Amino acid sequence: MSDTTPLPTSSMRYAASDSSGPAAGHATGSAHSARYSASLGARRYVFSDLKTVMAKATPFRSGDALAGLAAQTEEERMVARRVLADVPLQRFLDEALIPYEDDEITRLIIDTHDRAAFAPIAHLSVGEFRNWLLSEAADSAMLARVAAGITPEMAAAVSKLMRNQDLILAAQKCRVVTRFRNTIGLPGRLSVRLQPNHPTDDPKGIAASMLDGLLYGCGDAVIGINPASDSPAAIVTLLTMIDEFRQRYEVPTQSCVLTHVTNTIEAIERQAPVDLVFQSIAGTQRANAGFGIDLALLHEAHEAALSMRRGTIGDNVMYFETGQGSALSANAHHGVDQQTCEARAYAVARVFRPLLVNTVVGFIGPEYLYNGKQIIRAGLEDHFCGKLLGVPMGCDICYTNHADADQDDMDNLLTLLAVAGVNFIMGVPGADDIMLNYQSTSFHDALYVRRALKLGRAPEFETWLEKMGVTTPSGALEALPSEHRLLPATRALLERT
């Protein structure tokens, strides 16, 4: 089947019954749930509710198997996909996978749903939605218009019917542009988060990695440090160090220390130079409680960051990270498959208009994404679902050392995501994060994919690199003399720290 071949209608006998009658008011996912069934020859398959259909239709991954949600056979998986293809998109508004009264993320999804944006696709089934997404009618402008009408469950559902090439083609048409001190997400460009982590938060080690990344042309997404300590004093020290360097050389980028949101709020109260507020988020209220957050706390942090007024060309001030398996690992999934839980996290993200969102796709380990094949598929799904919902998606293309994956798998995912139009990736010295102990992508990997696909950096950052003599007008790296002015600046920074 080619990337634009319409999905055929089911040849099986299909039925969805609802013994409670039509749903009224808010979708609850309980009183108004339906039973879905299909026959294949002499065999009849019955799925108790919509979340079961979704879980059984998901491409195999270790996390769903661990949770007892996965299809038992490939035949059951294909039957579930056929059933799912016939489900109307409207059904996801009538039958919540997690009850409205039990979960604030469900309430957020339902209460913020834009009926006017949904109208152009409201008549479609999931299978018809897939065909429409791959058609010429669904161009970038149209996808931007309908984004607010698409729920995470709709996005997750259609992704389960798509091949990898479908996920790439459809995501490539979705453009989400954000701004703070530079512009991220423009067509033909790829940004990089410079990730200069250090296992003891040693400012000298961090400064050396930061310089290394800048000289490779990385850092336009953000200079973002995962701190080893949650000490408020240490966090303020790191923020101040980056900001002094940024201001001295007028670097058009933003900084972030990826600590808990409450620590960042405290840093803002201390008048520390906070550009972006970071937080890990998940797709259920219970999973977010495990992170020590709720929507009210995120709203407080968002308002605090806006009050700093540090952006020069925009006010996208939030940075979120997600990852398939977080809700399952916290036993907070409500029987919903891990990819659908992940898509629900993007509903949390989009309400805060973030500058950056990325899925840390292989970080949680092989219990949830066992090997390179599963990690690659998950990365493409997450990017597609996020972009379809209007979220500025990046990806930490990564794996842990006990997963059945290697750097060749990461090269493949990096290339596929770059073709799909991913907003940003990670830049880690040597691709080996010595603080978090996992494998990601390096400064050299960013050079590779930019050269291979002729991708530029954020335009403001690209102009600065050329002005500083780091790159040529074409964006290629210059051979830097030993007296390059960024080098003594960094030496002075090291001496002060």
Side-chain angles (χ1 to χ4, degrees):
M1 184 184 296
S2 71
D3 58 358
T4 56
T5 303
L7 195 73
T9 56
S10 175
S11 60
M12 299 179 290
R13 298 196 306 278
Y14 157 76
S17 61
D18 186 345
S19 57
S20 63
H26 293 303
T28 66
S30 51
H32 302 299
S33 62
R35 297 181 69 205
Y36 300 82
S37 62
S39 297
L40 182 62
R43 288 181 296 278
R44 180 173 177 78
Y45 290 86
V46 178
F47 307 101
S48 59
D49 50 27
L50 187 52
K51 69 182 177 184
T52 302
V53 176
M54 293 273 282
K56 301 293 186 183
T58 304
F60 180 78
R61 62 207 57 197
S62 52
D64 290 336
L66 182 66
L69 304 176
Q72 296 300 303
T73 65
E74 286 301 317
E75 180 175 286
E76 184 183 24
R77 181 170 291 108
M78 291 309 300
V79 170
R81 287 177 179 170
R82 290 292 192 180
V83 171
L84 183 60
D86 289 339
V87 172
L89 293 181
Q90 176 63 40
R91 188 70 199 178
F92 292 96
L93 299 172
D94 298 335
E95 183 182 344
L97 305 190
I98 301 174
Y100 181 91
E101 58 272 18
D102 293 347
D103 185 86
E104 69 171 358
I105 311 306
T106 298
R107 294 194 289 275
L108 175 72
I109 292 166
I110 297 298
D111 294 349
T112 61
H113 182 251
D114 188 330
R115 285 281 182 177
F118 181 57
I121 57 173
H123 62 290
L124 300 177
S125 68
V126 176
E128 291 167 339
F129 186 38
R130 178 260 182 194
N131 296 341
W132 180 81
L133 286 170
L134 299 176
S135 73
E136 297 297 329
D139 59 14
S140 296
M142 174 58 76
L143 290 174
R145 284 198 293 273
V146 302
I150 300 171
T151 69
E153 292 84 356
M154 294 175 194
V158 74
S159 76
K160 298 176 192 300
L161 305 183
M162 300 174 93
R163 292 172 55 180
N164 285 4
Q165 64 174 253
D166 299 339
L167 297 172
I168 293 167
L169 183 65
Q172 190 183 70
K173 297 190 286 185
C174 300
R175 285 291 164 184
V176 184
V177 178
T178 56
R179 295 175 176 87
F180 190 77
R181 290 196 188 94
N182 58 28
T183 307
I184 299 170
L186 293 171
R189 296 183 183 271
L190 172 69
S191 294
V192 177
R193 170 190 160 190
L194 204 173
Q195 185 169 311
N197 295 344
H198 192 278
T200 64
D201 288 340
D202 179 6
K204 293 182 180 180
I206 290 170
S209 294
M210 186 172 70
L211 175 68
D212 191 25
L214 289 170
L215 294 181
Y216 275 104
C218 295
D220 51 341
V222 64
I223 300 174
I225 303 169
N226 296 90
S229 166
D230 278 337
S231 159
I235 290 163
V236 171
T237 295
L238 294 175
L239 286 167
T240 302
M241 180 189 74
I242 301 173
D243 198 61
E244 285 179 357
F245 182 90
R246 183 195 62 77
Q247 289 196 60
R248 179 174 180 178
Y249 289 96
E250 300 178 323
V251 189
T253 191
Q254 36 283 329
S255 63
C256 185
V257 174
L258 283 70
T259 185
H260 192 269
V261 63
T262 53
N263 294 328
T264 306
I265 292 172
E266 182 177 343
I268 291 173
E269 290 171 349
R270 294 186 179 199
Q271 294 300 303
V274 173
D275 289 343
L276 306 181
V277 173
F278 167 81
Q279 182 56 48
S280 295
I281 57 173
T284 73
Q285 180 177 341
R286 279 181 9 208
N288 281 326
F291 288 139
I293 62 166
D294 57 20
L295 294 177
L297 181 59
L298 294 178
H299 278 291
E300 179 186 349
H302 185 229
E303 291 303 311
L306 288 173
S307 72
M308 299 292 284
R309 300 184 182 275
R310 290 176 57 84
T312 55
I313 64 169
D315 63 351
N316 300 119
V317 295
M318 302 298 281
Y319 176 14
F320 296 117
E321 284 190 345
T322 67
Q324 286 196 30
S326 59
L328 270 68
S329 68
N331 195 26
H333 56 91
H334 299 268
V336 176
D337 67 273
Q338 68 180 45
Q339 188 247 335
T340 302
C341 285
E342 169 72 5
R344 285 168 55 93
Y346 307 148
V348 176
R350 71 174 169 181
V351 75
F352 296 103
R353 301 187 303 109
L355 181 77
L356 307 166
V357 178
N358 71 267
T359 169
V360 192
V361 66
F363 184 76
I364 201 165
E367 298 84 358
Y368 299 92
L369 294 170
Y370 179 74
N371 56 19
K373 180 180 176 68
Q374 292 183 20
I375 291 170
I376 289 169
R377 173 71 190 189
L380 294 176
E381 289 170 346
D382 294 350
H383 177 251
F384 162 78
C385 288
K387 283 291 185 63
L388 193 61
L389 293 168
V391 172
M393 285 301 296
C395 185
D396 189 343
I397 301 161
C398 63
Y399 64 101
T400 56
N401 288 317
H402 63 311
D404 183 16
D406 58 27
Q407 212 63 37
D408 287 338
D409 295 313
M410 300 305 101
D411 287 350
N412 293 342
L413 180 53
L414 169 62
T415 306
L416 294 174
L417 283 171
V419 172
V422 70
N423 278 26
F424 70 103
I425 61 170
M426 304 299 120
V428 178
D432 183 5
D433 193 303
I434 59 174
M435 196 282 280
L436 293 173
N437 292 311
Y438 79 117
Q439 309 302 309
S440 185
T441 46
S442 70
F443 307 142
H444 302 78
D445 295 331
L447 284 180
Y448 143 70
V449 77
R450 282 171 168 160
R451 287 175 181 170
L453 299 177
K454 297 180 173 55
L455 298 172
R457 302 168 179 87
E460 301 86 352
F461 192 77
E462 200 159 68
T463 299
W464 177 81
L465 288 172
E466 184 182 347
K467 173 186 171 184
M468 296 296 293
V470 175
T471 60
T472 68
S474 67
L477 292 183
E478 290 274 23
L480 299 181
S482 59
E483 67 273 13
H484 190 278
R485 55 182 168 148
L486 281 180
L487 303 181
T490 304
R491 281 196 292 270
L493 182 65
L494 295 179
E495 289 170 2
R496 288 200 304 276
T497 56

